[in-house]
Each structure stands twice: as C-alpha cells, then as structure tokens.
Amino acid sequence: MHGDASLPISTRQAKEPLPPSEEKMEERGQWSNKAEFILSVAGSIIGLGNMWRFPYLCYKNGGGAFLIPYLIFLFTCGVPVFFLETALGQFTSEGGITCWRKICPLFEGLGYGTQVIVTLLNFYYIIVLAWGIFYLSFSFSWDLPWSSCNNTWNTENCVEFQRRNTTVNITVNPNNTSPVMEFWERRALRISPGIDHMGSLNWDLALCLLIAWIACYFCIWKGVKSTGKVVYFTATFPYLMLIVLLIRGLTLPGAAIGIQFYLYPDLGRLADPQVWMDAGTQIFFSYAICLGSLTALGSYNRYNNNCYRDCLALCCLNSGTSFVAGFAIFSILGFMSYEQNVPISEVAESGPGLAFIAYPRAVSMMPFSPLWAALFFIMIVFLGLDSQFVCVESLVTALVDMELFLLAVVIFSFFMGLIMLMEGGMYVFQLFDYYAASGMCLLFMSIFETVCIAWAYGADRFYDNIEDMIGYRPGPYIKFCWLFFTPATCIGTFAFSLIKYTPLKYNNEYVYPWWGYVIGWLLALSSMVCIPLWMVYKISTTEGTLRERIQLLITPSDDLPKTKREQERLLAIFAPETDATMAKNGYLPVSEKDSNL
C-alpha cells in the first residue's frame, strides 16, 4: 500500500541503506506488528476510568443527555489531541520530552510538565491495584469477609444487609454501618482520623503493592519487545471479564431499573455548567492525553504506519467500552437497589467507592458470590496494570532507555507509594488524585500542545508530515480543531474549573488542614510551571535580539524526517544538472548530509 513500508525490514536493508530516522528506530526497537501497537494503546487508555467513572457521570449528569457534551468534547478535544500526540511520536521517533525539543525548542517545557504528571501518577495509580489484589486475596473463600459482621474488625454498629425477602424489622440507627464499609475502612485501609495522624504502615497492603510493582516491572523490563507480547493478554482479558459480568448483570432481577437510571435522558441537566466540566475532564482522563504515553507508544511505530486510521478506531473502542461498561455496572446496581428495596441513588457510587464498596456489596448478594468477586477484582487488576506499565514505560522512554533506570524508577515509586498505605494514607491518595493529575493540569497542557503544533510549528506543515507518513492528507476538520476549536474549548473549561474550584473534602466530610491544601496546589503547579519557566530560561540564555531569539526557538530541528517535497526541493538546489532530469521524473533519496541542510 505504501511501497517498501510493507516489506520486512531485512528486505529493505538489502535493497538500500536505512534513512537516519529508521536507523534510530532499529536502535530503540519497534512494534513487531500493528496489533502490538493497537493493544498497547488500548491497554493504556482503557482503564479504571471507563469502568468506574464514566457510568457514574452518565447517571449523575442527566443519563443519555450527558452523551451530548461528552461527544462534543470527544470530537473537539479528545480525537484531535489523541491523533496529534500519536502522530507526533511516529513522526519524530522520540519520547515525550525530546519530541517537543525537536519540533519547537521553546515548548520543551511541555515535555517536562507531562513527565511530572506521569511521575506523580506512577506514585498513586498503582495503589488501586494494591487494593484490588488485597480484595482478590479475600475472594477465595466461601464466606466473603465483607458480607457479615462476625469479624474481629467489626463494631457493634455493624448491621448486615437487609434483603427484599427479609421480614425482620430493625430500628434505623444513624450510626449504623455496613459490613462492606467496615471491611474497607477498618480492615483494608485501617483509616486514621485525618492526614495529621499518619499512623503505621499496613504491611499486608505493602505486600500487595510489591506484587503489583513486580508484575509491572516484568511487563516492560525488555522495553517494547516485552510490552508488545504482554499486552496480548493484559489488554484483551479485561474484555472477557467485562462480557461475563455484563451477561451476569443483565440476567439479575432489577437490572432494568439500573439501566433505566443510567440512560434516562434529563435534558434540563445540560443547563448546569458542571455537567460540561465533567464531560471535558472525563475525555482527558480516559484518553490518556497530555501524559506523553501516546507519544512514546507512537514513537515505536514504523514511519509509514497509518496512525490516523488507528487513532479513529482506538477512540471509538475507548468510548464504546465506557458505554458498555455502564450496562455492566448499572445492571448490578439495579439488582442491589431491588434487593435492598432502596432508591438507586443510595447505592450508586463513583471511583474507589464503586469498586471497593458498592460492587462488593452487590456481589455478596449473588449466588456463588466468591466467583463473581474474584472475576471482578481480576478485571480491576488487569485494567489498571496495563495503564500503569505504559505510564512507567513512557516516563523511562522520555528520559533514557535503560533497564537499570527502569528498576530505579520502580523502586523509588514503590517507596513513595508506601506513604499512601499508612493509616492516614488515604488522605494523601485523595490529594494526589484531586490535584496532581487533575483535569486542570491536563487542560493546561492541552492548550500549549495545540498552540505549539498549530501555530508555532504550523498546522499545514504538520499535515505535510502526516501526508508523507500515511500517504494522504486527513480532512481539514482536525486541522481546524488544532487551530481554533481545541484551544478555545480547553481555555474555556480551564477558566471554568478555576472559577468553580472547591477544596477537596474526603467523603464530603473531612476538611484538610491548610497545609494539606498547600501540598495539593504544589502538586498541581509542579507540572504547570514547567512550561513558562522553560520559556523564560531558553529566551534568557539564547543570544540575539528578542525577535531573533524567539525565531530561533520556534525553528524545528534539522534532523527531523524530511517530506518527499522537501527532499525534492533540496535535490533541485544541490543536485548536479545531469541529475536534474532524474529528480523531475521520480523521488531520489537524499544523503544524510544534504537532508540536514
């Protein structure tokens, strides 16, 4: 389809010397086939957010009506930025920092900012895997420990679930708690009264975290070679689990109630600006954009891979998975609502509350509950695992491709994670989750990414590069998004998030001390300040007038791949007259020396 691009590398080497960009790919490694790339990106973007955040946001923000702002953000921000980052990685064959240095040195701070977010994400995202492994270990018993009040950690206020066929009248006490809540807070977390009471380390959770990091390390320790093989299992197995849980959920009594609440459209909710904010942040969270991971994964592609078609397919897969996951989750919640004879609003949860409180409670009401508990937590672990190891790999790729450096990152991240497994660790986890990789940080990065590519480097020039890679120019819509729609949408949403900012409260009750919020804002600003600080540093250390400095700093690197049109222009300038006719009749390879002029 694209000439030699379809031939094996060894065949092409026999025919002609490799261009410099492909020599570099040979050194860095590349995907053995397209399936490895597709599955790696799918594993990265399809994670816990699809399972526990999107369905809840749909229910909370007007059911089917929520799909309107969601789709608007998807096509004005999600798809354009997703394609931009993947194509940038494929074009430059560089990681998340050096790609910006080569495209536009003034915006190299973008690379450092995204890697700060990824570093912070590596500390806390894997904690969810540790919790999942912990719950999974308790699922292999006939009597699930969170289904009864007969355990050592239960209090006198513990009251077991009331089912539809139960006729016992129990006086409602406002201090009553459920066994699943007590297992979560008193057994798993052993939660302290606040962040100023950190307490001791939960050693059983620390062991689960160690298992998670060991699995993560061995998934990527050989770089793209090991990752490409591992994703065949880690990216597909959660789908099998999701289908099993979906079929089981739809066959439960009360499932229709849950699905009705999930999808019933309430168009009046669209007048609430918070609904639009939720739609925007969900797109950024679930598409893994502005983290550098898409650029890193794209950089292992062959130069002529059709990344445009791949990106459209992956975006459809990601949003489709979120939509289908809603049926699996809300059919279960509908069953729980039916069994307990309470409104679904009382059982609907988001985030960790869904995975470790609502779902375990529902599972304990089913026949063969240990089986469904085990399947659910296996799915949670695998959903989180490939998102985690792709994040780690993108960080290592951005800095240096080295096994020892990867080991150092894993060990350091493990010890940082132990802070969140102390008795007060949940409060630290919430700070990281709310501030470190918040929608605000991702929106800020997205604004500068689109400005850099569309205005500093040039949207038309980048379209020329894409045409050279895939053989045709994508429609003009994506280009107009980069130029106008995406930055405008992100600036508006970013401004709204600042205006509507509300300080974090744990469980909507616990208010952090002032220094807790200071730590949170430092986490948020740590990534955002990289961009302006780098610009000030580069402008102040470059010689010449201000205009000359800026002109130099927005000039792309000479060793970026040249398009066929650029190479023909170079030939016309430097080739001898005898070769001029050859240059007109067809494309001639340019030497490395000429291509750098």
Side-chain angles (χ1 to χ4, degrees):
M1 185 175 178
H2 296 300
D4 287 346
S6 60
L7 296 174
I9 288 178
S10 57
T11 308
R12 283 160 51 200
Q13 282 177 328
K15 289 173 63 180
E16 60 183 44
L18 281 171
S21 60
E22 295 208 11
E23 281 179 11
K24 183 170 63 180
M25 287 211 78
E26 288 292 280
E27 294 170 15
R28 294 179 77 242
Q30 62 183 133
W31 305 115
S32 300
N33 53 58
K34 185 188 280 285
E36 291 184 0
F37 168 67
I38 296 287
L39 289 173
S40 295
V41 178
S44 170
I45 61 178
I46 297 167
L48 299 170
N50 301 70
M51 183 60 59
W52 72 24
R53 199 164 184 269
F54 176 83
Y56 178 78
L57 288 178
C58 249
Y59 152 75
K60 173 189 156 192
N61 292 318
F66 178 71
L67 295 176
I68 296 171
Y70 178 84
L71 290 173
I72 289 172
F73 273 97
L74 173 62
F75 289 111
T76 58
C77 293
V79 175
V81 179
F82 189 90
F83 176 50
L84 183 152
E85 293 192 4
T86 310
L88 179 65
Q90 183 171 311
F91 171 60
T92 60
S93 296
E94 298 286 350
I97 294 176
T98 47
C99 67
W100 297 107
R101 182 187 304 158
K102 295 206 167 187
I103 285 287
C104 184
L106 185 65
F107 285 85
E108 190 180 335
L110 256 174
Y112 295 111
T114 55
Q115 296 315 306
V116 168
I117 295 176
V118 169
T119 302
L120 298 174
L121 201 60
N122 285 338
F123 295 157
Y124 84 88
Y125 188 86
I126 200 167
I127 300 298
V128 181
L129 270 72
W131 294 335
I133 293 168
F134 180 79
Y135 269 73
L136 180 61
S137 68
F138 279 92
S139 299
F140 298 107
S141 61
W142 283 112
D143 297 314
L144 296 174
W146 53 80
S147 62
S148 70
C149 294
N150 305 324
N151 305 289
T152 54
W153 56 82
N154 293 127
T155 65
E156 63 275 9
N157 292 325
C158 180
V159 176
E160 294 188 17
F161 310 120
Q162 294 303 300
R163 300 176 69 111
R164 176 169 285 269
N165 56 5
T166 305
T167 56
V168 179
N169 289 323
I170 294 179
T171 306
V172 176
N173 182 343
N175 294 324
N176 282 353
T177 58
S178 64
V180 71
M181 182 63 80
E182 291 203 347
F183 181 83
W184 170 239
E185 292 192 341
R186 296 177 59 82
R187 177 64 186 92
L189 301 180
R190 298 186 179 96
I191 197 163
S192 71
I195 195 172
D196 43 3
H197 298 85
M198 288 303 292
S200 58
L201 178 65
N202 295 325
W203 288 100
D204 41 9
L205 282 176
L207 177 61
C208 294
L209 181 65
L210 180 63
I211 293 169
W213 269 120
I214 290 172
C216 182
Y217 175 76
F218 282 108
C219 284
I220 54 176
W221 71 311
K222 291 295 184 186
V224 70
K225 292 176 184 174
S226 57
T227 307
K229 303 300 179 285
V230 167
V231 290
Y232 279 106
F233 181 73
T234 60
T236 55
F237 185 72
Y239 276 99
L240 177 63
M241 294 296 96
L242 179 60
I243 291 167
V244 171
L245 293 170
L246 174 64
I247 294 169
R248 178 61 185 135
L250 293 175
T251 57
L252 290 168
I257 303 169
I259 291 168
Q260 180 185 345
F261 271 86
Y262 170 48
L263 291 179
Y264 184 76
D266 178 7
L267 295 174
R269 294 284 292 128
L270 296 180
D272 183 358
Q274 186 60 44
V275 173
W276 295 80
M277 180 70 187
D278 283 345
T281 52
Q282 174 61 15
I283 289 293
F284 279 86
F285 280 128
S286 66
Y287 276 81
I289 47 185
C290 304
L291 297 176
S293 54
L294 294 174
T295 308
L297 294 173
S299 71
Y300 295 120
N301 274 334
R302 295 184 183 184
Y303 184 76
N304 292 106
N305 176 59
N306 191 339
C307 55
Y308 179 63
R309 187 177 57 199
D310 295 346
C311 288
L312 292 180
L314 284 161
C315 289
C316 292
L317 178 68
N318 188 21
S319 292
T321 302
S322 297
F323 187 65
V324 172
F327 287 92
I329 295 298
F330 269 85
S331 61
I332 298 289
L333 295 179
F335 161 72
M336 200 161 90
S337 165
Y338 172 84
E339 280 290 305
Q340 294 184 278
N341 207 18
V342 295
I344 200 164
S345 57
E346 292 186 20
V347 297
E349 295 268 2
S350 174
L354 173 68
F356 302 109
I357 300 171
Y359 208 97
R361 181 187 293 172
V363 159
S364 65
M365 298 176 179
M366 295 183 198
F368 308 107
S369 53
L371 170 66
W372 303 112
L375 290 177
F376 177 74
F377 289 114
I378 288 170
M379 181 181 69
I380 289 291
V381 168
F382 279 107
L383 274 174
L385 181 63
D386 43 14
S387 298
Q388 176 70 26
F389 70 63
V390 167
C391 263
V392 177
E393 184 169 37
S394 70
L395 176 66
V396 175
T397 302
L399 298 172
V400 58
D401 286 321
M402 250 174 56
E403 285 180 33
L404 282 177
F405 180 70
L406 170 62
L407 184 62
V409 167
V410 166
I411 292 171
F412 180 69
S413 300
F414 169 73
F415 282 110
M416 288 296 295
L418 292 179
I419 298 170
M420 297 175 216
L421 298 181
M422 298 174 74
E423 290 171 358
M426 186 61 175
Y427 303 103
V428 180
F429 175 88
Q430 291 284 342
L431 276 180
F432 270 76
D433 190 44
Y434 195 78
Y435 291 99
S438 66
M440 197 183 300
C441 300
L442 300 178
L443 286 164
F444 189 79
M445 297 294 159
S446 179
I447 294 165
F448 282 93
E449 281 192 9
T450 49
V451 167
C452 173
I453 291 294
W455 295 97
Y457 181 75
D460 285 319
R461 180 192 286 179
F462 197 53
Y463 252 46
D464 288 342
N465 300 137
I466 291 168
E467 181 183 10
D468 194 53
M469 288 191 294
I470 69 174
Y472 62 92
R473 292 175 83 81
Y477 173 74
I478 297 272
K479 183 172 73 175
F480 287 125
C481 282
W482 293 339
L483 284 164
F484 308 111
F485 302 147
T486 306
T489 307
C490 291
I491 289 169
T493 314
F494 179 79
F496 178 75
S497 66
L498 284 177
I499 295 165
K500 295 286 285 184
Y501 164 74
T502 52
L504 169 68
K505 288 183 181 178
Y506 177 69
N507 267 358
N508 288 324
E509 293 174 0
Y510 173 76
V511 178
Y512 283 73
W514 66 269
W515 53 267
Y517 294 117
V518 169
I519 292 172
W521 275 106
L522 287 175
L523 290 171
L525 292 171
S526 62
S527 57
M528 292 192 281
V529 297
C530 291
I531 298 173
L533 286 181
W534 182 261
M535 287 180 172
V536 171
Y537 166 72
K538 288 301 286 184
I539 290 171
S540 61
T541 55
T542 305
E543 295 181 355
T545 64
L546 183 61
R547 184 185 181 88
E548 289 171 345
R549 294 178 192 185
I550 293 175
Q551 186 60 46
L552 180 64
L553 291 172
I554 61 172
T555 303
S557 170
D558 286 336
D559 60 357
L560 284 173
K562 300 287 187 288
T563 64
K564 292 178 182 179
R565 192 178 296 120
E566 287 172 326
Q567 292 198 30
E568 286 169 357
R569 190 162 54 242
L570 286 169
L571 273 174
I573 297 170
F574 296 106
E577 287 185 16
T578 53
D579 294 336
T581 53
M582 292 175 65
K584 287 178 184 176
N585 294 332
Y587 164 70
L588 285 176
V590 177
S591 70
E592 183 176 355
K593 179 182 174 185
D594 287 341
S595 69
N596 287 333
L597 287 172

